[in-house]
Amino acid sequence: MKLIILGPAGAGKGTQSEFIVDAYSIAHISTGDIFRKNLKEGTPLGLKAKEYMDGGLLVPDALTVEMLISRISESDCQNGYLLDGFPRSLAQADALEAAGEAIDQVLLIDVDYSLLTERIVGRRVCPECGAAFHISNNPPKIEGICDKCGAELVHRPDDKEETIKARLVEYDEKTKPLIGYYEEKSLLAKVGGDKPIAQVSQAIKQILDSL
């Protein structure tokens, strides 16, 4: 099962991704994790990416795709994977298709923008393993501490209210076109993300169980 999850910041992609990978025993692949792994291990691809990042530049699509393809060729992806945070643009989607990866389903967590600010402002993330929490909707067992690895959680600068509007504009410009792209391929399934977490998970399960 090869899946993609889409949605604006704060839609609940991280929470639902955890549910999906546990329920279907597939690998959770996020570009953030891939970058962290390659940078930490000092791989040739990681060193290339670091040159761009150190210069304050975006990592080119070609290099991001190369790292992704390398990651999904690993043994833990044999049963399938869930792509979270990729593709972010039509160019990346085209590159994924060109690499011969046949996606089974694209899930769109659809949430009204007016509900997202509260979600994003309350989000806390782990700088070590990338796990995401929310101070009210999905709090860690110990306040400020990651359940998974015990690192101290952080409030990312781009999760602050003043930056949210800019992120949604960027989503509209770059990522939203993917909705039409995958609709045309009859791969897109929309899920209302404004409902309680368990209800969203159940809706996703119904979609994936029918594949």
Side-chain angles (χ1 to χ4, degrees):
M1 185 183 287
K2 298 178 180 180
L3 309 174
I4 293 172
I5 189 164
L6 297 176
K13 298 189 299 297
T15 300
Q16 295 305 327
S17 293
E18 288 187 13
F19 161 72
I20 293 166
V21 299
D22 287 343
Y24 297 95
S25 299
I26 59 177
H28 182 197
I29 310 297
S30 78
T31 49
D33 289 343
I34 293 172
F35 279 118
R36 276 190 289 271
K37 183 175 185 289
N38 279 273
L39 289 170
K40 186 176 181 179
E41 295 178 0
T43 67
L45 292 175
L47 293 175
K48 282 185 189 177
K50 189 174 186 298
E51 289 179 13
Y52 289 97
M53 295 165 74
D54 287 348
L57 303 172
L58 291 175
V59 178
D61 282 342
L63 183 53
T64 301
V65 172
E66 193 175 353
M67 283 194 282
L68 178 84
I69 297 302
S70 175
R71 174 66 185 89
I72 61 181
S73 67
E74 295 180 15
S75 60
D76 65 332
C77 294
Q78 289 181 354
N79 192 44
Y81 54 75
L82 172 69
L83 299 183
D84 177 9
F86 185 96
R88 289 186 183 273
S89 65
L90 291 176
Q92 290 184 352
D94 285 336
L96 184 65
E97 185 173 9
E101 289 299 309
I103 299 300
D104 297 304
Q105 187 74 71
V106 179
L107 297 165
L108 170 64
I109 310 296
D110 200 23
V111 183
D112 190 279
Y113 286 2
S114 63
L115 300 176
L116 294 177
T117 300
E118 179 186 348
R119 288 187 176 184
I120 298 173
V121 170
R123 185 160 60 185
R124 301 293 183 269
V125 297
C126 177
E128 295 298 325
C129 72
F133 301 88
H134 191 279
I135 56 175
S136 57
N137 298 336
N138 182 34
K141 294 173 184 176
I142 301 173
E143 185 177 351
I145 301 298
C146 178
D147 290 351
K148 292 186 174 181
C149 71
E152 187 173 349
L153 300 176
V154 298
H155 189 203
R156 299 190 311 189
D158 57 348
D159 281 348
K160 293 179 180 176
E161 191 166 355
E162 59 269 22
T163 63
I164 294 170
K165 187 175 291 186
R167 292 178 68 191
L168 291 175
V169 168
E170 183 181 28
Y171 172 78
D172 283 341
E173 291 176 350
K174 294 183 179 179
T175 308
K176 216 171 183 180
L178 291 168
I179 296 172
Y181 177 92
Y182 285 116
E183 277 182 327
E184 288 182 2
K185 296 178 181 295
S186 300
L187 290 173
L188 191 83
K190 293 184 180 180
V191 179
D194 54 345
K195 299 179 178 66
I197 290 172
Q199 289 184 29
V200 178
S201 298
Q202 183 58 34
I204 288 173
K205 186 175 187 300
Q206 289 178 350
I207 293 167
L208 297 184
D209 284 352
S210 68
L211 291 179

